[in-house]
Amino acid sequence: MEMINATGRRKASVARVYFRDGKGKITINGKDYKEYFPLEYLRYNIEDPLATVEASSKYDIYINLSGGGVKGQAEAAKMAIARALAKIDEDNRPPLKAKGYFHRDARVVERKKYGKPKARKSFQFSKR
C-alpha cells in the first residue's frame, strides 16, 4: 500500500494524517501519541476509530496537528483517521459513520463585539 492521507478539522485545529503499512506506531508532530496526549480521554479519540474497524496494528500513522487546543486537536485527529480508514477500504465507512466520526462539528468561538468586554457579556448596568 502506498501512503494514504486525509484531513480533519475541529474548532481552530487542523489534523493531517498519513497512513502507511506497519505495526501500529502512531506519531504526532514527531512524538509518540501517548506522550503528546497524556490524558486518557484524549488518547481515546485517537484509538477508537482504529478499534472500531479492528485496524490497530495494521498501519503506522503519522499525524501533523496545528492550531487550537488539545481537545480540538484530538477531535480533529479522530475525524482525519476515520476519513483515511474509509479511503483505504469502503467497508470501514458504515461502522465509523454510525459512531458519528465523519460529522464536522462546526461550532467555533464567537467573535468579540465592540463596546463589550466579550462576545455577549455587557458591562454592569447602573440605573443611577
Side-chain angles (χ1 to χ4, degrees):
M1 176 184 94
E2 60 195 59
M3 191 177 286
I4 301 285
N5 66 329
T7 306
R9 292 182 184 88
R10 172 74 172 103
K11 293 185 175 182
S13 302
V14 179
R16 289 184 295 280
V17 170
Y18 303 94
F19 273 64
R20 188 180 291 150
D21 280 330
K23 295 180 174 67
K25 186 178 181 202
I26 302 172
T27 308
I28 301 176
N29 291 353
K31 296 179 182 177
D32 184 56
Y33 82 106
K34 290 180 178 178
E35 186 182 334
Y36 193 85
F37 292 127
L39 300 173
E40 189 63 39
Y41 77 96
L42 296 172
R43 279 191 232 144
Y44 176 78
N45 285 316
I46 306 296
E47 297 162 352
D48 197 46
L50 296 164
T52 302
V53 296
E54 294 157 10
S56 298
S57 59
K58 288 183 184 176
Y59 309 106
D60 282 344
I61 305 170
Y62 177 75
I63 306 173
N64 187 340
L65 285 172
S66 62
V70 288
K71 186 157 174 31
Q73 286 186 347
E75 292 186 10
K78 174 177 70 173
M79 179 187 222
I81 289 169
R83 283 180 171 177
L85 288 168
K87 253 189 202 182
I88 290 168
D89 186 7
E90 202 58 40
D91 295 337
N92 292 338
R93 193 167 181 77
L96 292 168
K97 191 173 172 78
K99 286 197 168 185
Y101 293 150
F102 297 115
H103 178 72
R104 163 67 160 105
D105 192 349
R107 294 175 295 172
V108 292
V109 176
E110 190 175 344
R111 79 170 193 87
K112 182 190 175 301
K113 314 307 188 298
Y114 60 89
K116 298 198 173 238
K118 290 165 83 177
R120 295 185 181 211
K121 185 177 182 178
S122 298
F123 295 106
Q124 184 173 351
F125 177 72
S126 174
K127 199 168 186 176
R128 289 177 188 79

